[in-house]
Amino acid sequence: MANFKNSRMAEDIKREMTAILRELKDPRIDPMLTIVRADLSGDMSVCKIYVSSYSGIEKSLDSVKGLTSASGFIKRELFHRLKMRKSPELTFIADNSIERSAEISRKLNDLLK
């Protein structure tokens, strides 16, 4: 039962983080940034949020710096939007999965031609 609640809360955090990203005004945060995954710990005290950018891993790393500096605002917004009892500590991690999947798609299209 706890695992279901945990995965549901992680999906809620991912959904709300996507909306919060659009509200942030930090120039370091890439406008093409995407939330790939949110991993919530078993006791819901720590949440790792994986972000990826269409512009590449360098932009993702810069965006992580901006998100880390805005983590207090993000944490407060999540707390209010999800009506949580305790807001988890947020850790942002740059991921290059979108860039990698675009490269694989390009290679597959080249094979078909």
Side-chain angles (χ1 to χ4, degrees):
M1 184 75 176
N3 194 16
F4 175 73
K5 182 179 179 184
N6 207 1
S7 63
R8 187 180 65 201
M9 183 60 77
E11 285 299 316
D12 289 345
I13 288 172
K14 180 181 171 187
R15 183 189 68 239
E16 290 300 327
M17 273 300 302
T18 303
I20 292 170
L21 270 180
R22 304 300 162 233
E23 297 173 6
L24 295 175
K25 303 279 190 256
D26 194 332
R28 293 176 287 186
I29 299 172
D30 187 27
M32 298 298 285
L33 195 69
T34 303
I35 305 294
V36 176
R37 187 172 84 226
D39 286 339
L40 194 59
S41 66
D43 61 351
M44 295 188 186
S45 64
V46 177
C47 184
K48 294 179 184 175
I49 299 174
Y50 295 88
V51 296
S52 185
S53 175
Y54 290 109
S55 305
I57 191 71
E58 296 83 21
K59 283 287 197 178
S60 295
L61 291 170
D62 289 340
S63 297
V64 164
K65 291 177 186 173
L67 289 169
T68 302
S69 69
S71 65
F73 170 77
I74 295 169
K75 188 175 178 180
R76 184 187 54 154
E77 282 293 312
L78 280 175
F79 180 75
H80 289 298
R81 289 180 184 204
L82 296 177
K83 299 189 180 16
M84 304 166 83
R85 191 176 283 185
K86 181 179 139 185
S87 186
E89 191 64 36
L90 301 176
T91 305
F92 298 98
I93 301 168
D95 190 22
N96 66 347
S97 61
I98 291 180
E99 184 181 8
R100 190 171 51 237
S101 64
E103 181 183 338
I104 290 170
S105 178
R106 225 180 357 260
K107 287 181 180 180
L108 287 174
N109 284 336
D110 289 344
L111 286 175
L112 292 175
K113 291 179 183 178

